[in-house]
Amino acid sequence: MKKQKSPTVGYILAFFLGILGIHLFYYRKYIRGALYLLFFWTYIPMVLGWIDMFFIKRWTNELNNNVIGQHSKTSPKNTFDVNEKNLVTQRPEAEDIGPIKNQGDTETIEMPTEKPNSLSMIKDVFTFYSEKDIVLPKYIHLDTPIDIKASIDELKKPNNNRYEKNGIVFEVSISSSHRSFIRDSLKHSQTRGIETKEVPFQSYWPTFEHLDKKQRKWYFYWREQALKGNYLDVDLSYIFIFVYELINYSFNINAAFNVSMLVRLNEAYLERHPKLKKYLNRWIADMLFEIDEQELANEFVEESYNRFIPKLYTLIQENQDSLESISITYWKPYIKNYRETEFFSKNKNKIYKRFKESIPSLKKLYDKEGKSLLAEWFEIKNEREVRYLFNGAVLGREYHDTHVHVEKVYATEDLTKVVSNLFRLAENVVRSENNEKRNIKVDESMLPEDMKEVMVKSRFKTVKKRDKSIEGSKIPVPPKEEQSAEKEVKRNEIQFDWDEISQKEKELNLIKDKIEEKEANDQTTGEEISVSPISGAENDQKKKVSDASNAQSPKVDNQQEEKRSFSADLIEVGEDYDGLVEALSYSQQEFLSLIKEGEIRKAKASEFAKQNGKMLGVFLSEINEIAMEHIDDTLLEEEDDKVIVIEDYEEVIDMVRSVLIEN
C-alpha cells in the first residue's frame, strides 16, 4: 500500500517552495509543476503557489482516497465511494472529471486525468478576462499570421547589440517610440485594474509614456471593465491606447480576439465619440485585409475609398427626376474650352439657369435614343491598388501594405464635350432672348438633333386655357356716372405721337454723328473740344443748323447711313474680322502671323515685343483693345508659359497671314 499524503507537508511546500512548483510534484501534478518551475523567474508562480494552499486539503483527500480505492476488493477499478468523501465537487484547475458511474448501490467516479494541451491551462491561469466571451462568432475562425507572431516574438527579445574591442564591451540599444509602446504593452498585458477616479487625458498618438501614475491607474481599470463588457465614459485618448494595443497584437496575439474587441469598442462608443468610427472602421478593415479576409474587410471600408465616385455621378443618380436642381458648381469642372465673354459676365445667372433647365430636356432626348446619361458620361472600372495600412496609428510591429480591388468611376470625353457645347448653346439662347445678334461657336454635332429647338421652345410657358364649360357670372354694367368718369379719364390719358418721336430720334442721331465727326477732325489737327449740355433753345438752334446742313450735303448723309447699314450687317452676320485685321498695325499683324496652332511661347512673344520697344503685357493689351472694338471680345490671353488665341477667333490668324502675303 502506497503512503498517503500529508496536508501539512503540502502547506509547507506551497508556502516556501511554491515558486518552483514543488508542492505540485508532491501531489503528482507534474505538468503544472513543470510550468511553475519553467516560469519561476516571473515570480507569478509564487503567488499562484500561495493560492494553491486553498486546495491542498482537497488534493490530499483525492490522492488518499485513490490509494484506498486501488486496494479495495470491491472496486477493482480506480474508484472511490462518493458518500464517504463528498468533497469532490467543482475543481478550479484545468483538469477534466470523468462521468459518474453506477455499479450496484455504489456511486463511483473515474479518476481525473490531465489535459494534454497545457497552453490552454496556462491561459486560463494567467488571464483575467474571458476571451471566449469577447470573440464574436463572425470572427472566430480568424488566425494570426506567422509573420505577425514572429514580429511580436522578436520584440520580446532584448534589443541590445554587444560589441567587444580591445577587451572593452560596448552595448548599443536601438529603440523607437512605437517599438517602446509594444514593449510597454507586452509588459502590462496582464496588469489588473483597481477602481479609481478618472483623470482627464488628451494627447495625440497617445502611448503609455504619455500617462502619469494616476492616468495609468485609471487606464488599467477602464480597460479591465471594457473587457468585461462595462464600457465606462472615458476620454478618447484612453480608447486609442487600447486600440493601438489591439492592432499591434501586443495585448493579445489572437486575431479573432483583437478584431472582435475593436468592433465592440466601435459599437460601444459610436455615439459618445463619433470621431472614433472614422479611425476604427479603417483600421479594422486594414487588419482584415492584412490577413486576407477581403470580404469581411469590405464591410468596414469607407465608401469613398472602395468606390471612387465623382460627385456629379452621385447627384445625377440621386436626382433623376429633378436634374435642374443640381448646382452649377458641380457642372463647371466639365465645361472646357470656354472663356467668359463680356456678355456672359453681365448675364451669367440667366445662362446658368438656362443651362440647368436644359439638362432634363437632354435626358429625355437621350431616353428616346435608348441612351442613359450615366452610361454615356461615366465609365466604371475595377482596378487593383495598393492599400496603405494603419495610416495615423501607432504601429511598432512589422507589417506590409497590401493589394485591394477598388471600383472607380471615370468621366468620359463625351461628358466634357456635351456639357461644354450645351453650355455654349445656353448662352446663345440667352443672347437671342436679349436680342443680341452675335453668337458664340457651338459644335451642335455633339448634341441631339432637336436640342436647340427644344431649348428655344422651353422659353415659352404654356398658359392654361380657359375651360369653356365653366362660366362665371357676368360683370355688372357700371352706373352712367361711372361710365362718364371713365370716358373723362380716357380723354385725359397721354397720347404719344410715335412718328414725331421717331423723327426726333433721327435728328439726335444726326447731331451725334456730326459731333463724332468733329471730334475725329480735331484729333487729327491736335485740337480739343468740349461738349456741354444743350439747353432747349440751343437744341432748337442745333436742329435748324442740322436741317440746313442736311439739305446742303445729302451725299454725305447717304454715305454715313450706308456705312451704318453695312456695320449692322456685319454685326448680324457675325464678327467684324475684316475691320479687326485692317485696324491692326503691321507689327501687330506680324506678331499674330507667328502664332501656330493657336499658341506661341511666351518667351518668343516677349522677345518680339521687346524688339518693338514694348512690354509683352502692354503689347497684348493693345491688340485686345482693338479686338474689343471689332468683335466685342479679347483675341489673346496668357496661359502658363504661352500666349494663346481664343478658340472662337482662330480665323483671324489665317486672315492676317493672307493680308501679309498679299502685301
Side-chain angles (χ1 to χ4, degrees):
M1 182 176 178
K2 293 184 179 180
K3 186 177 180 181
Q4 296 186 8
K5 301 296 183 182
S6 168
T8 305
V9 175
Y11 285 125
I12 295 173
L13 293 176
F15 185 80
F16 292 103
L17 299 174
I19 190 171
L20 299 175
I22 302 302
H23 63 293
L24 296 173
F25 290 105
Y26 180 72
Y27 286 107
R28 301 177 188 173
K29 300 181 183 297
Y30 303 114
I31 295 177
R32 190 168 172 178
L35 291 174
Y36 277 39
L37 182 61
L38 183 63
F39 293 100
F40 78 94
W41 54 274
T42 63
Y43 294 99
I44 294 175
M46 177 185 291
V47 178
L48 296 177
W50 293 342
I51 295 174
D52 289 342
M53 294 174 66
F54 292 100
F55 309 108
I56 292 295
K57 187 175 181 180
R58 199 173 83 189
W59 292 346
T60 303
N61 291 333
E62 289 175 1
L63 285 177
N64 290 341
N65 290 331
N66 186 25
V67 172
I68 295 173
Q70 288 177 351
H71 295 84
S72 173
K73 294 180 181 180
T74 60
S75 301
K77 294 183 180 180
N78 296 334
T79 59
F80 61 92
D81 191 346
V82 176
N83 291 327
E84 180 179 316
K85 297 291 181 181
N86 295 323
L87 295 176
V88 182
T89 56
Q90 295 182 353
R91 301 180 59 189
E93 62 271 22
E95 295 178 294
D96 291 334
I97 299 177
I100 297 176
K101 296 182 180 181
N102 293 325
Q103 294 183 357
D105 296 330
T106 306
E107 293 183 355
T108 60
I109 185 169
E110 291 184 0
M111 282 301 299
T113 57
E114 293 284 348
K115 264 190 177 182
N117 189 358
S118 58
L119 292 177
S120 62
M121 184 185 71
I122 297 173
K123 186 174 287 188
D124 291 340
V125 171
F126 285 90
T127 55
F128 57 91
Y129 56 90
S130 175
E131 185 174 316
K132 293 180 181 179
D133 293 341
I134 292 174
V135 174
L136 297 170
K138 194 174 188 178
Y139 309 111
I140 197 169
H141 66 283
L142 300 181
D143 291 325
T144 307
I146 297 175
D147 56 338
I148 293 179
K149 293 180 179 179
S151 176
I152 299 300
D153 290 339
E154 186 67 24
L155 289 168
K156 291 178 181 179
K157 300 176 182 178
N159 60 336
N160 298 332
N161 296 320
R162 297 173 63 87
Y163 303 95
E164 184 175 353
K165 187 175 182 180
N166 299 328
I168 302 175
V169 178
F170 298 92
E171 190 173 274
V172 180
S173 176
I174 302 174
S175 183
S176 66
S177 59
H178 290 192
R179 286 175 171 265
S180 297
F181 171 79
I182 292 184
R183 291 191 174 93
D184 288 338
S185 177
L186 291 168
K187 177 182 177 182
H188 296 293
S189 61
Q190 297 302 320
T191 302
R192 301 289 299 271
I194 301 174
E195 186 172 0
T196 184
K197 182 180 179 182
E198 180 184 8
V199 180
F201 177 50
Q202 303 290 335
S203 177
Y204 291 103
W205 298 283
T207 63
F208 287 99
E209 295 176 353
H210 295 97
L211 298 171
D212 60 27
K213 187 176 181 180
K214 291 184 178 180
Q215 289 169 338
R216 284 197 180 201
K217 189 176 180 182
W218 162 257
Y219 171 72
F220 294 134
Y221 173 69
W222 167 80
R223 186 179 68 177
E224 183 171 342
Q225 293 301 308
L227 290 166
K228 294 178 179 179
N230 183 20
Y231 300 99
L232 305 173
D233 288 333
V234 65
D235 287 339
L236 190 60
S237 295
Y238 286 112
I239 301 176
F240 271 117
I241 292 181
F242 192 25
V243 168
Y244 295 156
E245 287 194 277
L246 295 171
I247 65 178
N248 277 287
Y249 290 83
S250 53
F251 178 79
N252 190 309
I253 200 64
N254 187 4
F257 170 84
N258 292 329
V259 173
S260 299
M261 193 65 216
L262 285 172
V263 172
R264 290 181 182 275
L265 288 172
N266 198 14
E267 294 174 352
Y269 290 101
L270 174 61
E271 295 182 359
R272 285 177 276 184
H273 296 288
K275 291 182 180 179
L276 190 64
K277 182 180 179 180
K278 173 185 176 183
Y279 295 97
L280 286 190
N281 277 1
R282 186 197 311 160
W283 293 339
I284 293 171
D286 289 343
M287 291 187 75
L288 293 168
F289 276 128
E290 189 178 24
I291 58 178
D292 295 328
E293 293 285 343
Q294 294 205 12
E295 290 186 8
L296 291 175
N298 286 333
E299 298 177 11
F300 298 92
V301 171
E302 57 274 23
E303 186 177 353
S304 59
Y305 186 93
N306 190 35
R307 193 177 184 187
F308 294 84
I309 306 177
K311 184 64 176 179
L312 182 62
Y313 179 92
T314 305
L315 291 172
I316 293 175
Q317 202 172 38
E318 295 175 352
N319 299 276
Q320 289 288 324
D321 299 328
S322 57
L323 294 174
E324 69 279 1
S325 64
I326 300 175
S327 172
I328 191 66
T329 304
Y330 301 105
W331 294 104
K332 281 183 178 180
Y334 304 98
I335 300 174
K336 304 294 184 182
N337 300 322
Y338 176 82
R339 185 181 177 280
E340 296 181 359
T341 61
E342 185 177 351
F343 178 84
F344 171 82
S345 301
K346 295 178 181 178
N347 301 275
K348 62 181 179 181
N349 291 330
K350 290 182 180 179
I351 296 172
Y352 288 156
K353 183 180 178 183
R354 181 65 58 209
F355 169 76
K356 292 196 295 181
E357 289 174 349
S358 68
I359 301 297
S361 302
L362 180 67
K363 180 180 181 297
K364 290 179 181 178
L365 293 175
Y366 268 42
D367 291 341
K368 287 182 181 179
E369 297 176 4
K371 298 179 180 179
S372 166
L373 287 182
L374 291 175
E376 294 293 322
W377 289 355
F378 297 96
E379 183 180 7
I380 301 176
K381 294 182 179 180
N382 195 294
E383 298 180 357
R384 194 180 77 151
E385 277 198 350
V386 174
R387 182 179 175 98
Y388 299 98
L389 306 180
F390 306 109
N391 285 335
V394 173
L395 204 71
R397 63 177 175 84
E398 291 184 5
Y399 69 98
H400 299 283
D401 298 323
T402 186
H403 287 98
V404 296
H405 291 275
V406 296
E407 199 173 61
K408 289 189 176 182
V409 179
Y410 293 97
T412 63
E413 290 185 6
D414 285 346
L415 172 60
T416 56
K417 290 179 180 179
V418 171
V419 170
S420 299
N421 285 285
L422 187 63
F423 189 79
R424 286 170 170 264
L425 183 58
E427 179 172 336
N428 284 344
V429 172
V430 176
R431 283 173 178 266
S432 177
E433 293 174 359
N434 290 12
N435 297 320
E436 180 78 18
K437 295 181 180 179
R438 176 180 169 272
N439 290 332
I440 60 176
K441 290 183 179 180
V442 178
D443 184 3
E444 295 187 18
S445 64
M446 297 304 305
L447 303 172
E449 292 183 3
D450 301 329
M451 192 66 229
K452 184 175 181 179
E453 184 180 350
V454 170
M455 289 182 68
V456 173
K457 285 183 178 180
S458 66
R459 295 169 50 196
F460 306 101
K461 295 182 179 179
T462 304
V463 181
K464 187 177 181 181
K465 296 182 179 179
R466 182 173 68 87
D467 190 350
K468 295 182 179 180
S469 63
I470 302 174
E471 295 184 358
S473 59
K474 294 183 178 180
I475 301 174
V477 180
K480 292 183 178 180
E481 295 179 358
E482 293 183 7
Q483 290 180 3
S484 61
E486 289 178 1
K487 290 179 180 179
E488 186 66 25
V489 170
K490 289 181 179 179
R491 282 198 297 270
N492 293 334
E493 287 180 353
I494 299 173
Q495 301 295 325
F496 293 99
D497 188 347
W498 293 107
D499 293 335
E500 184 178 355
I501 291 173
S502 178
Q503 181 64 28
K504 297 293 184 185
E505 185 178 0
K506 290 181 180 179
E507 291 174 356
L508 288 173
N509 288 334
L510 288 172
I511 294 172
K512 181 180 177 183
D513 292 340
K514 290 293 181 181
I515 293 173
E516 290 177 352
E517 184 179 355
K518 176 66 175 173
E519 288 178 348
N521 293 333
D522 291 342
Q523 287 177 357
T524 56
T525 58
E527 297 178 359
E528 295 183 0
I529 63 169
S530 62
V531 180
S532 60
I534 303 174
S535 63
E538 290 175 343
N539 190 23
D540 294 337
Q541 184 66 24
K542 288 281 185 181
K543 285 198 294 182
K544 291 178 181 179
V545 173
S546 176
D547 294 339
S549 62
N550 289 340
Q552 293 174 0
S553 56
K555 294 182 179 180
V556 176
D557 293 340
N558 290 337
Q559 290 175 356
Q560 291 175 350
E561 192 67 32
E562 186 179 348
K563 185 178 180 181
R564 284 198 301 274
S565 176
F566 176 71
S567 177
D569 290 341
L570 280 177
I571 295 172
E572 184 175 357
V573 173
E575 298 85 351
D576 184 10
Y577 290 164
D578 292 331
L580 170 59
V581 174
E582 291 176 4
L584 294 170
S585 66
Y586 178 77
S587 62
Q588 292 170 341
Q589 291 177 352
E590 189 179 6
F591 172 75
L592 292 177
S593 68
L594 298 175
I595 298 176
K596 295 180 181 179
E597 297 182 357
E599 63 183 42
I600 184 174
R601 289 290 177 184
K602 191 177 288 185
K604 188 175 181 180
S606 298
E607 184 180 353
F608 183 90
K610 287 180 181 179
Q611 290 175 358
N612 288 271
K614 294 181 181 179
M615 299 294 292
L616 178 60
V618 176
F619 191 71
L620 298 179
S621 297
E622 290 176 352
I623 296 175
N624 285 331
E625 286 175 6
I626 297 172
M628 288 295 293
E629 294 176 4
H630 293 82
I631 62 175
D632 191 30
D633 200 356
T634 57
L635 179 64
L636 305 172
E637 67 177 5
E638 297 181 58
E639 183 180 282
D640 298 330
D641 61 340
K642 54 191 175 183
V643 177
I644 64 171
V645 179
I646 304 303
E647 185 181 4
D648 292 344
Y649 312 120
E650 291 181 352
E651 293 179 35
V652 175
I653 307 302
D654 297 332
M655 294 176 66
V656 168
R657 289 197 183 98
S658 300
V659 170
L660 289 174
I661 292 171
E662 291 175 1
N663 295 335

